[in-house]
Amino acid sequence: MITPFPAVRRPVERGAAAPVDAIAEGTSVDLLTDTYRAHYRSLLGLAALLLDDTASCEDVVQEAFIRVHAARRRVREPEKTLAYLRQTVVNLSRSALRRRILGLRLLPKPMPDMASAEEGAYEALERDQLKAALRGLQRRQREVLVLRYFADMTEAQVAETLGISVGSVKAYGSRGLAALRIRMEAQA
């Protein structure tokens, strides 16, 4: 049990034995050192379950030992030192996560990804080359490719729109893609 303030000694009547819990000395430095040696890794594992990076875990566990060391006289039952350390690790991990979340909320919003002027010019050039290559295809091939790939229609929808069979759509599409590929490679 941990008291918020140092244990207050109650006045003892003469001849009466002093209550044991009133004069408890708290956790000794030796006990804390032994606890560190025996349980540092397990406390680090506890922090790792709550946090995501090793450095933060180590910081939290070290801070927990520092805080317990500073408050060791308030620990009335030295056998509960490990429980106090565990609770301190959990609380410090929560605080670290809260600080991260708050930091993320306060970060300025990133600018949207925009292409550089060179990339935009290159894309415009490719688009113009594609349009020129499409214009060089037969009318039905061009219609099938535009409806199929730019209007994102299914083969059945293209067939219905153009008033031709699905087999014709497949044939015009296949021949049109082959011709388009040849034209694009010739321009490159």
Side-chain angles (χ1 to χ4, degrees):
M1 174 187 227
I2 300 169
T3 59
F5 301 102
V8 178
R9 295 184 187 216
R10 296 183 188 137
V12 180
E13 295 180 28
R14 287 182 199 209
V20 174
D21 64 330
I23 56 173
E25 292 297 319
T27 301
S28 68
V29 175
D30 291 337
L31 177 64
L32 198 56
T33 303
D34 292 341
T35 304
Y36 179 86
R37 287 184 185 131
H39 298 285
Y40 176 78
R41 287 197 182 276
S42 68
L43 291 170
L44 196 60
L46 174 64
L49 292 172
L50 301 170
L51 298 171
D52 56 355
D53 63 304
T54 307
S56 296
C57 297
E58 290 172 347
D59 290 344
V60 162
V61 173
Q62 290 298 326
E63 181 65 24
F65 274 99
I66 290 168
R67 289 188 182 192
V68 170
H69 180 269
R72 69 183 183 279
R73 295 204 186 332
R74 293 187 302 192
V75 179
R76 287 188 179 176
E77 300 172 36
E79 63 275 0
K80 292 189 177 179
T81 301
L82 182 58
Y84 185 46
L85 278 165
R86 285 185 184 129
Q87 188 61 50
T88 305
V89 166
V90 169
N91 291 341
L92 290 172
S93 297
R94 286 181 188 155
S95 295
L97 290 173
R98 276 190 218 110
R99 280 191 304 275
R100 283 186 197 168
I101 291 170
L102 182 61
L104 290 174
R105 286 183 188 162
L106 297 178
L107 281 176
K109 302 289 184 235
M111 294 297 293
D113 291 334
M114 296 180 68
S116 67
E118 294 85 13
E119 289 178 36
Y122 186 70
E123 287 175 7
L125 181 62
E126 282 184 331
R127 192 172 33 251
D128 291 342
Q129 289 174 346
L130 179 62
K131 286 179 185 177
L134 276 170
R135 280 189 211 106
L137 296 178
Q138 295 176 5
R139 181 180 57 90
R140 281 288 186 194
Q141 290 176 349
R142 184 175 55 248
E143 290 172 347
V144 167
L145 292 179
V146 168
L147 291 174
R148 181 78 175 99
Y149 296 104
F150 293 100
D152 201 28
M153 293 180 156
T154 64
E155 291 171 340
Q157 291 170 331
V158 173
E160 184 180 332
T161 302
L162 296 177
I164 58 176
S165 69
V166 175
S168 295
V169 170
K170 290 179 182 182
Y172 284 124
S174 175
R175 288 185 204 122
L177 282 175
L180 188 62
R181 191 173 296 119
I182 291 170
R183 290 181 178 273
M184 290 298 290
E185 288 173 0
Q187 290 178 2

